[in-house]
Amino acid sequence: MKNNTTEFIEYNSTSDNVTDVEPYIIPNLKLIHDVLLTMTLIIIMVAMGACIYWRQIWKHVRRPVGPIIGLCNQFIIMPLLGYAFNKIFQFESTVAAGLLIVSCCPGGAVSNTFTYYVDGDVSLSITMTTISTVLALGMMPLNVWIYAKDTEASKLVIPYLNMALSLIMITSPVLFGMLLKWKVPKVSEYVTKCGSVLGLVLIAVVFVLEMILFSSALLRLTWQHIVTSALMPLVGILTGFCIAFLFRRPIAVCKTVGIESGIQNVAVSLSVISLSFDIAKYPKLLLLPLLYGISQMVICSVICFIRQIILCSPKTEEPVDIKKDTEVKDVTSL
């Protein structure tokens, strides 16, 4: 989702502290990043929409056990985890605000692609992403109000317009993909396969661009930052999976709920930061959201890779008990 970072930087370019954030002032690279990010979102959502029917989404809306479990994880457990890590490691106010912001965000559309590659329930994933984006309009300010004490997140500007645009960018391509599935099902299969692969490639490119754009923020790394950003998405995924499993949901639903619970919309957190804070505070504010985005990508990629190895590994056939098999034949011959 495109945010107002570039305009915000230009507006604050006279700041005395601008030298602390020189790596951010790369307008052309930032523009390329935003365009690719928008293209990635559209391609992924068209590809995912092309592999589902409307009745599959309606099934989850009519019996919303899976979405409810995922949304409780998204807006109750994840913000609580962010608050807990802030308390455990006693991050300074600015860094703590960045962690709180990303932990209160809705789910990200990247989860739909990873759900597809782990053979989860794509229709449930899209339903949860859409619903979480809508609910975030109210739940995000509420969670910030609850947990923002002693951090600089107490006076956030929630980007309602950007989140509304994000919602449109999620639903419109999905509807187009579903239309392809309905009208030209044979074509939709290729759209899903090619779109999901291209989406992953573009995600990798966007990831590299973000590493370049926000390199100064990553120079402030400590082991506490690494542990927090690695454990939070992992705990979110495992918690979502286990709760769904306890509610006796199908394995495909458990995997989907887990991925949706652990993946946050980092683009929303960047937008919130760009609208709410002075540019001089960007390096510290962006540190944990960026690390979180990296970690969730790495963790989900590893999960997909391990699954592919398991699927491709040769399956050993069960040994046949010759004696027992002979006895059975003897009995049947009688």
Side-chain angles (χ1 to χ4, degrees):
M1 181 183 67
K2 185 176 179 180
N3 58 43
N4 298 323
T5 306
T6 305
E7 292 85 348
F8 194 81
I9 291 172
E10 292 172 355
Y11 180 80
N12 289 277
S13 59
T14 57
S15 170
D16 293 334
N17 296 315
V18 75
T19 54
D20 294 334
V21 285
E22 285 179 354
Y24 296 100
I25 308 177
I26 315 175
N28 293 333
L29 193 59
K30 180 63 173 64
L31 178 61
I32 293 171
H33 169 271
D34 289 346
V35 171
L36 283 178
L37 191 61
T38 303
M39 286 176 56
T40 303
L41 180 60
I42 293 173
I43 290 171
I44 288 174
M45 299 318 293
V46 170
M48 297 301 101
C51 71
I52 62 174
Y53 291 104
W54 166 252
R55 62 176 177 271
Q56 293 174 293
I57 292 181
W58 175 244
K59 178 186 70 175
H60 298 302
V61 174
R62 189 164 52 92
R63 295 182 179 177
V65 179
I68 289 173
I69 296 171
L71 292 170
C72 287
N73 276 279
Q74 190 84 63
F75 294 119
I76 297 176
I77 293 178
M78 295 307 294
L80 187 59
L81 275 175
Y83 178 77
F85 276 107
N86 273 332
K87 285 297 182 183
I88 292 170
F89 291 123
Q90 294 293 306
F91 293 125
E92 62 178 287
S93 175
T94 311
V95 175
L99 178 58
L100 178 61
I101 291 167
V102 74
S103 67
C104 294
C105 283
V110 176
S111 60
N112 308 138
T113 302
F114 284 119
T115 297
Y116 172 77
Y117 277 108
V118 299
D119 200 24
D121 190 328
V122 176
S123 61
L124 174 60
S125 178
I126 292 173
T127 303
M128 290 175 62
T129 301
T130 305
I131 294 175
S132 70
T133 304
V134 174
L135 291 182
L137 298 174
M139 293 301 299
M140 197 173 178
L142 176 62
N143 277 315
V144 168
W145 178 75
I146 293 172
Y147 297 112
K149 294 179 181 178
D150 303 324
T151 74
E152 296 199 20
S154 55
K155 295 182 180 179
L156 289 184
V157 177
I158 305 299
Y160 292 106
L161 178 59
N162 286 8
M163 292 175 71
L165 291 174
S166 177
L167 185 61
I168 293 171
M169 290 179 62
I170 290 171
T171 54
S172 300
V174 168
L175 291 174
F176 179 73
M178 292 171 68
L179 183 62
L180 290 177
K181 179 72 171 177
W182 177 36
K183 294 294 185 181
V184 280
K186 291 184 179 180
V187 174
S188 68
E189 293 179 9
Y190 293 102
V191 170
T192 298
K193 291 178 181 179
C194 297
S196 58
V197 172
L198 181 57
L200 283 180
V201 172
L202 288 175
I203 287 171
V205 174
V206 170
F207 169 76
V208 172
L209 289 176
E210 288 180 348
M211 293 288 287
I212 297 171
L213 281 168
F214 307 116
S215 57
S216 66
L218 299 177
L219 294 175
R220 302 168 182 269
L221 279 177
T222 65
W223 70 267
Q224 292 95 333
H225 299 145
I226 296 173
V227 169
T228 299
S229 59
L231 286 182
M232 270 196 66
L234 184 60
V235 171
I237 291 171
L238 292 175
T239 302
F241 182 94
C242 292
I243 293 176
F245 185 78
L246 290 175
F247 276 84
R248 298 183 178 181
R249 297 294 91 195
I251 292 298
V253 172
C254 294
K255 290 187 284 188
T256 304
V257 171
I259 290 175
E260 283 291 330
S261 300
I263 288 188
Q264 302 292 88
N265 194 331
V266 176
V268 169
S269 67
L270 299 182
S271 184
V272 170
I273 289 170
S274 70
L275 292 172
S276 304
F277 299 97
D278 184 84
I279 191 173
K281 297 181 179 179
Y282 272 26
K284 292 181 180 179
L285 283 164
L286 290 172
L287 180 59
L288 285 175
L290 289 173
L291 279 178
Y292 192 101
I294 294 169
S295 294
Q296 66 184 16
M297 292 289 297
V298 170
I299 290 169
C300 289
S301 298
V302 169
I303 292 172
C304 293
F305 182 70
I306 292 173
R307 182 178 179 276
Q308 289 302 315
I309 291 177
I310 294 173
L311 290 177
C312 294
S313 61
K315 297 180 180 179
T316 56
E317 296 182 359
E318 294 184 4
V320 179
D321 191 336
I322 299 175
K323 183 178 179 181
K324 184 176 180 181
D325 187 51
T326 306
E327 290 176 355
V328 172
K329 287 182 180 179
D330 291 340
V331 171
T332 54
S333 63
L334 292 174

